[in-house]
């Protein structure tokens, strides 16, 4: 009978509309989830992998991701390691397609923590501040600056916001 065909057709239309709504909901949820992902989460997933950074001053930095936190990234390029503040990064290439979540510890580890570790280790560093650089030991990490001991008694203060990268200096 034609009624059976009519109801079958209506059921098929309803099923197709429900499938379309489900797909739209999944797409919305996927976009919403992706919108909450921070760059640090993508970089944390890239640990052990090579990435290329373009810094805000136009310089390129390539290396393997050793560690990352919300405010900084540590790279190794087969030699000295480079600490890069996240706010100095303009472009990242080579990220893996997946992501991992930032832990509360990684969220709290600010750039000051990393700089204080370098000061504690008495590591000789090159602090690049975009228009120049200073080489020496980090003597003091203040609230918004670092003081670099360039020679006996000579100190240079660099605002943390000016730092583009901090590299290990060969002694």
């Amino acid at each position: 009978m034609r009624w059976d065909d009519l109801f079958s057709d209506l059921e098929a239309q309803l099923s197709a509309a429900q499938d379309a709504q489900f797909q739209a909901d999944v797409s919305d949820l996927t976009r919403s989830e992706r919108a909450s992902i921070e760059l640090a989460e993508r970089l944390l997933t890239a640990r052990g992998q090579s990435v290329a950074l373009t810094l805000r001053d136009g310089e390129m930095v390539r290396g393997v991701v050793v560690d990352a936190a919300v405010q900084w990234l540590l790279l190794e390029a087969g030699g000295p390691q480079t600490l890069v503040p996240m706010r100095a990064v303009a472009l990242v290439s080579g990220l893996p397609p997946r992501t991992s979540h930032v832990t509360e510890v990684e969220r709290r580890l600010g750039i000051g923590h990393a700089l204080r570790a370098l000061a504690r280790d008495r590591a000789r560093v090159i602090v690049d501040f975009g228009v120049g650089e200073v080489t020496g030991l980090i003597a003091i990490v203040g609230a918004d600056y670092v003081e670099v001991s360039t020679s006996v008694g000579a100190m240079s203060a660099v605002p943390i916001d000016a730092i583009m990268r901090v590299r290990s200096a060969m002694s």
Side-chain angles (χ1 to χ4, degrees), residues 22-60:
F22 177 76
Q23 291 301 323
D25 290 345
V26 167
S27 294
D28 286 345
L29 289 171
T30 300
R31 280 191 294 276
S32 177
E33 178 68 21
R34 285 181 182 152
S36 68
I37 296 170
E38 296 177 78
L39 180 58
E41 293 173 305
R42 296 292 307 280
L43 286 162
L44 283 165
T45 303
R47 281 185 183 134
Q49 297 181 30
S50 184
V51 296
L53 307 177
T54 302
L55 302 183
R56 290 185 7 211
D57 65 357
E59 292 293 319
M60 285 280 286

Side-chain angles (χ1 to χ4, degrees), residues 116-135:
R116 279 189 286 284
L118 291 170
R120 181 195 63 233
D121 293 345
R122 309 238 350 116
R124 189 164 168 75
V125 296
I126 302 167
V127 179
D128 181 340
F129 50 91
V131 294
E133 58 186 37
V134 60
T135 302

Side-chain angles (χ1 to χ4, degrees), residues 2-3 22 29 57 63 77 85 111-112 139 149 153-155 170:
R2 294 187 250 185
W3 286 97
F22 177 76
L29 289 171
D57 65 357
I111 189 76
S149 173
M155 295 283 217
M170 298 299 180

Side-chain angles (χ1 to χ4, degrees), residues 28-171:
D28 286 345
L29 289 171
T30 300
R31 280 191 294 276
S32 177
E33 178 68 21
R34 285 181 182 152
S36 68
I37 296 170
E38 296 177 78
L39 180 58
E41 293 173 305
R42 296 292 307 280
L43 286 162
L44 283 165
T45 303
R47 281 185 183 134
Q49 297 181 30
S50 184
V51 296
L53 307 177
T54 302
L55 302 183
R56 290 185 7 211
D57 65 357
E59 292 293 319
M60 285 280 286
V61 179
R62 294 179 189 274
V64 174
V65 177
V66 175
D67 204 357
V70 171
Q71 291 186 12
W72 54 267
L73 169 67
L74 183 63
L75 296 177
E76 185 169 337
Q81 293 184 337
T82 301
L83 177 69
V84 180
M86 290 294 262
R87 52 137 204 83
V89 176
L91 177 72
V92 181
S93 301
L95 288 173
R98 64 190 190 289
T99 190
S100 62
H101 294 285
V102 174
T103 66
E104 190 58 33
V105 171
E106 291 160 337
R107 191 164 301 289
R108 290 182 179 188
L109 283 177
I111 189 76
H113 290 92
L115 292 168
R116 279 189 286 284
L118 291 170
R120 181 195 63 233
D121 293 345
R122 309 238 350 116
R124 189 164 168 75
V125 296
I126 302 167
V127 179
D128 181 340
F129 50 91
V131 294
E133 58 186 37
V134 60
T135 302
L137 302 175
I138 296 176
I140 297 170
V141 179
D144 62 350
Y145 72 99
V146 295
E147 280 193 41
V148 180
S149 173
T150 56
S151 62
V152 179
M155 295 283 217
S156 295
V158 180
I160 290 175
D161 283 346
I163 297 173
M164 287 289 134
R165 68 179 158 254
V166 178
R167 296 174 283 153
S168 297
M170 298 299 180
S171 299

